[in-house]
Amino acid sequence: MRHPSYRAGPRRPSNSPPLIAAVLVLLFAGGFGSLVVVGAPGFRSSSLPVGPAESRVATPAASLAPIEPVHVSKHTPTTERAFAVDPNASYSSEPAPMGIADFGVTPGGSGYAYASPLIQGTVTIRSLYVSSTAAANSLSFQLNVEDIVTSGSSTYIYWIQDVAFFDTNLHGIFWEDNVWNLTQGLGTGLPGTSLAGNGSTYSGTFYADGASGYPGSNVSLSQPATFTARVVASNASGIPHVGFEYSDGYGWVTYDNVTFPFLTNGVNRGFLVDGTQYLPGGQGFFDAEWVMGGPGGGSSQATVRADVNMSLAYWNGHNLQLVRSAWNHGANTGETISNVREGLAASSASDSLAAHIANGSGVLGVIYGPTSSSTLRVAVPALSIGNLTVNGVAVPYRGGVANLTLPPGAFEVELWLNGSVQAWANVSLVAGEFRAIQLNPFAYFPVTFRSSNLPSGIPWSVSLGGQNLTGTGAVLTTAARNGSYTYLVGGVPGYQLANYFGSVQVAGGALEVDLVWVQTVYQVTFVAQNFVANTSWNVTVDGQLLSSTSSSLLVTLPNGTFAFVVGVSAGVSVTPSADNLTVAGANTVAYVAFSLASAEIRGTVTPGTARILVDGIVATVSFGAFAVTVGPGPYSLVASASGYTTRTWNGTISGGATVTLSLALNQSTSGTTPGGSGSSGFFGLSGSTIALLVVVAVAALLVVLVVVLRRPRARR
């Protein structure tokens, strides 16, 4: 509703601070160009009446504690009242500060109020280009709020500005804050000792600080670009604080923290949005506005090309919530922009209640309100602090409750804890609907995998339903809610299971799965090379004694290095007789070489000149001694000497044995043998024996001749 006594009249600061001169060119560090800033962002002065029977400053129902790290007390907006301020009282058409604002007024004209310790605005720029003679291609994005500070019975109102100056040509950005005293209207003034921070007070009018040297300020942003301005009200040791923050791709940066040291036991009550009254003197609104306009000093800019989304949210005591009612323009700032056409951003995500800004002729008015949006209250009584996702968008909450302003549509709400979904619900909302739901985390039951026969200290693992469990003890335990799950056990070198895969059914109670490991063994073959038939042999390895009478011997062993000893029967030697073998995940062959053990025939012979034959092979005789190395088996030894009787030894010798002989030849008494005189004649026969054999042979020959001559002849 437009108030009848409204009289427009912009008021610019009488002088500009040294930080931002009347026409100041900021040269950005990257060398990307210049950003034209025309004066400081100014407050727009209007004579606006207060509501009937309303105090000039509405004190929030609940005191506000710091957002971080102290928990914020719960706050619920006050009941709507019949009287409401007129959001169009300062601007009724373009040029105006355009974007998104909460005046505490519904589209139907009802007023409401709330205070919050944190308000933030977010902008996403897909395309933006502005141009004007005075401001070139630069503009400002301003987050403007009214901070309420009390000390005893005194109440103070400060206009808080968190400002991003943006060059739409080269995409440079620079951050600055302003603080104005509006306790008694625009002309209240700001003594230099009333505020303290990184900046300064200029001409007793306002405080300002630029974010020089901070990450993300005085830099160029690539497009599409998203950045957020945030102001935080807090208290510490009786001193109110206002923090100025931004995030534009370099993380959250707090570049100034303004305090009010002149107050004794001061309390920061937070940023007040109140649509039921105007500022003192009727010179503005208790609103929260995230708007764009000229780059300071009451300047105006014109849009040439735009595809921009802007959203505005506040901390409701539990979570960041999009504002309840959104208008497409601000009112308290003197910087404006024209050729802007606004509407509701087309999306169904949880932050989709945003203003979409395009170039073109537009009309000042409402973007959305309680009748075109929906409210979802999610209660999580079992989890005081946690994280929700709404259609995939994260919503951290505190106090077991989250309140969400959403567009009509379908939403999947999930409760997350430790990287997994603990509860979920699908919700469909219609315009104007308020819905309350409760999420109860799923009941979880212990699932235990118990390992046996696996030595302690050996790592093993199990995957159950996407959870990976690892350990070196006998037990791995997790928790799962009711349902069917498959599991997979990881392999362990040197050990095996009958089954590595399986499934379990969790049904309201604890569950245990036994895993019985068996040590993996491999076949080790001992092969006897040059094996002597029927030889008995054995191998002792890993405490096992194995015997065989064939050329190979089998044993099974696990991975590792093992000592072995080989034993063989008498008369056979083996190489090596002892050694080490290594089993490394595969069957293994160990070779040993067999050979017959040598034997020896040794002794003495008389006379010392006698000849020794062993199986017909002459042996060396030295001074009547001889030694012959032979293999095991039967042998014949003959000792002879001229004039001596021949002696023969026949015997069988075992491997490794030694036969010792003492041979004394007797002198021969008749005949001469090929080897000499004496009874040792031809082949060891005496002379008389040889003569007799000759007579017999001659007689036999004569008988044969007689028979042949007397055979009848054949007739011709």
Side-chain angles (χ1 to χ4, degrees):
M1 179 180 70
R2 179 185 178 92
H3 201 279
S5 62
Y6 163 76
R7 294 189 301 275
R11 175 176 178 176
R12 298 183 176 90
S14 57
N15 45 34
S16 300
L19 177 66
I20 303 179
V23 178
L24 177 64
V25 178
L26 298 179
L27 296 178
F28 285 83
F32 53 75
S34 62
L35 175 65
V36 178
V37 181
V38 184
F43 188 87
R44 180 178 176 90
S45 171
S46 300
S47 298
L48 302 176
V50 299
E54 299 290 340
S55 61
R56 291 187 178 273
V57 177
T59 302
S63 298
L64 299 173
I67 278 291
E68 295 176 348
V70 181
H71 174 64
V72 180
S73 60
K74 177 182 177 182
H75 171 73
T76 302
T78 60
T79 305
E80 293 182 4
R81 303 180 184 180
F83 173 80
V85 299
D86 180 7
N88 291 332
S90 290
Y91 296 96
S92 58
S93 62
E94 297 180 8
M98 302 299 292
I100 185 169
D102 185 359
F103 287 93
V105 178
T106 68
S110 297
Y112 58 88
Y114 65 89
S116 174
L118 183 153
I119 293 181
Q120 72 177 38
T122 298
V123 60
T124 297
I125 302 172
R126 287 175 289 274
S127 175
L128 179 62
Y129 187 75
V130 299
S131 179
S132 68
T133 302
N137 306 119
S138 301
L139 79 165
S140 64
F141 288 90
Q142 304 181 20
L143 179 62
N144 301 327
V145 294
E146 289 70 43
D147 187 28
I148 308 301
V149 177
T150 63
S151 178
S153 60
S154 299
T155 300
Y156 303 87
I157 307 169
Y158 293 92
W159 192 43
I160 306 297
Q161 294 184 287
D162 195 359
V163 183
F165 296 103
F166 189 71
D167 180 352
T168 63
N169 184 29
L170 298 174
H171 310 150
I173 191 169
F174 183 83
W175 291 87
E176 179 192 306
D177 62 25
N178 279 188
V179 180
W180 305 69
N181 187 359
L182 302 181
T183 302
Q184 297 177 356
L186 184 60
T188 303
L190 191 67
T193 58
S194 62
L195 299 182
N198 294 335
S200 302
T201 301
Y202 296 94
S203 303
T205 304
F206 66 94
Y207 168 96
D209 176 48
S212 299
Y214 286 86
S217 184
N218 208 24
V219 299
S220 180
L221 304 181
S222 59
Q223 289 193 357
T226 296
F227 54 85
T228 300
R230 175 191 287 177
V231 289
V232 180
S234 61
N235 298 281
S237 302
I239 302 296
H241 291 247
V242 175
F244 293 87
E245 304 177 3
Y246 62 83
S247 175
D248 57 10
Y250 293 79
W252 278 105
V253 177
T254 300
Y255 67 98
D256 198 7
N257 187 23
V258 175
T259 63
F260 303 82
F262 76 98
L263 296 178
T264 302
N265 296 322
V267 177
N268 196 329
R269 303 289 178 175
F271 308 115
L272 178 64
V273 173
D274 190 351
T276 67
Q277 62 174 326
Y278 293 99
L279 284 169
Q283 296 181 348
F285 300 83
F286 288 100
D287 69 346
E289 53 188 60
W290 174 231
V291 293
M292 59 184 189
S299 60
S300 188
Q301 188 56 275
T303 302
V304 177
R305 181 180 67 254
D307 182 5
V308 176
N309 279 12
M310 300 181 71
S311 62
L312 183 63
Y314 69 99
W315 181 262
N316 62 22
H318 299 285
N319 61 281
L320 275 173
Q321 181 177 358
L322 297 174
V323 294
R324 179 183 179 188
S325 296
W327 298 71
N328 65 5
H329 65 91
N332 286 347
T333 186
E335 287 73 48
T336 61
I337 193 168
S338 60
N339 196 37
V340 173
R341 178 167 49 88
E342 285 201 44
L344 184 63
S347 175
S348 60
S350 66
D351 62 346
S352 65
L353 287 175
H356 178 256
I357 298 171
N359 52 292
S361 178
V363 177
L364 273 58
V366 174
I367 302 172
Y368 66 85
T371 59
S372 58
S373 62
S374 306
T375 302
L376 179 64
R377 180 180 177 87
V378 183
V380 190
L383 196 61
S384 178
I385 298 176
N387 290 282
L388 300 173
T389 59
V390 180
N391 282 359
V393 178
V395 182
Y397 71 88
R398 296 179 181 180
V401 173
N403 293 306
L404 305 168
T405 306
L406 300 170
F411 299 91
E412 183 179 53
V413 184
E414 296 177 324
L415 173 65
W416 288 77
L417 180 66
N418 297 328
S420 64
V421 176
Q422 302 298 306
W424 60 273
N426 288 320
V427 180
S428 293
L429 302 173
V430 298
E433 181 180 6
F434 172 84
R435 178 80 64 85
I437 65 172
Q438 180 171 305
L439 294 180
N440 297 309
F442 301 120
Y444 281 76
F445 303 95
V447 178
T448 300
F449 291 88
R450 188 174 300 278
S451 170
S452 59
N453 299 337
L454 197 62
S456 177
I458 293 181
W460 61 290
S461 64
V462 179
S463 175
L464 175 71
Q467 298 183 67
N468 294 317
L469 312 174
T470 60
T472 57
V475 172
L476 295 178
T477 300
T478 185
R481 60 180 188 260
N482 288 337
S484 258
Y485 301 88
T486 58
Y487 67 84
L488 171 63
V489 183
V492 176
Y495 294 85
Q496 59 188 7
L497 293 171
N499 292 298
Y500 289 87
F501 300 88
S503 62
V504 293
Q505 181 75 31
V506 180
L511 187 68
E512 187 168 304
V513 179
D514 290 322
L515 302 174
V516 180
W517 296 90
V518 176
Q519 194 171 31
T520 305
V521 294
Y522 303 91
Q523 180 174 290
V524 177
T525 304
F526 289 89
V527 176
Q529 297 175 313
N530 305 321
F531 179 72
V532 178
N534 300 318
T535 298
S536 176
W537 63 295
N538 60 74
V539 174
T540 302
V541 60
D542 193 32
Q544 304 178 64
L545 176 60
L546 309 160
S547 300
S548 178
T549 56
S550 65
S551 62
S552 63
L553 187 150
L554 302 179
V555 65
T556 55
L557 295 173
N559 286 332
T561 298
F562 303 90
F564 66 88
V565 176
V566 182
V568 293
S569 57
V572 178
S573 63
V574 60
T575 304
S577 59
D579 204 349
N580 293 323
L581 66 89
T582 298
V583 179
N587 295 336
T588 303
V589 178
Y591 292 96
V592 294
F594 278 24
S595 60
L596 293 175
S598 61
E600 187 178 52
I601 303 174
R602 64 186 305 139
T604 59
V605 63
T606 303
T609 58
R611 184 173 66 169
I612 300 295
L613 298 176
V614 179
D615 279 356
I617 299 174
V618 177
T620 300
V621 178
S622 177
F623 300 103
F626 62 91
V628 180
T629 300
V630 296
Y635 290 91
S636 176
L637 180 146
V638 176
S640 62
S642 179
Y644 288 85
T645 302
T646 299
R647 292 193 61 176
T648 301
W649 173 88
N650 295 304
T652 299
I653 188 169
S654 300
T658 299
V659 174
T660 302
L661 302 175
S662 179
L663 304 174
L665 304 183
N666 296 320
Q667 287 186 343
S668 175
T669 57
S670 62
T672 302
T673 65
S677 63
S679 60
S680 298
F682 186 72
F683 290 107
L685 301 177
S686 65
S688 59
T689 302
I690 293 173
L692 178 60
L693 290 174
V694 171
V695 172
V696 172
V698 171
L701 179 61
L702 291 174
V703 171
V704 171
L705 290 175
V706 171
V707 172
V708 171
L709 293 175
R710 294 185 64 181
R711 179 180 297 174
R713 295 183 181 179
R715 295 185 179 183
R716 296 180 179 261

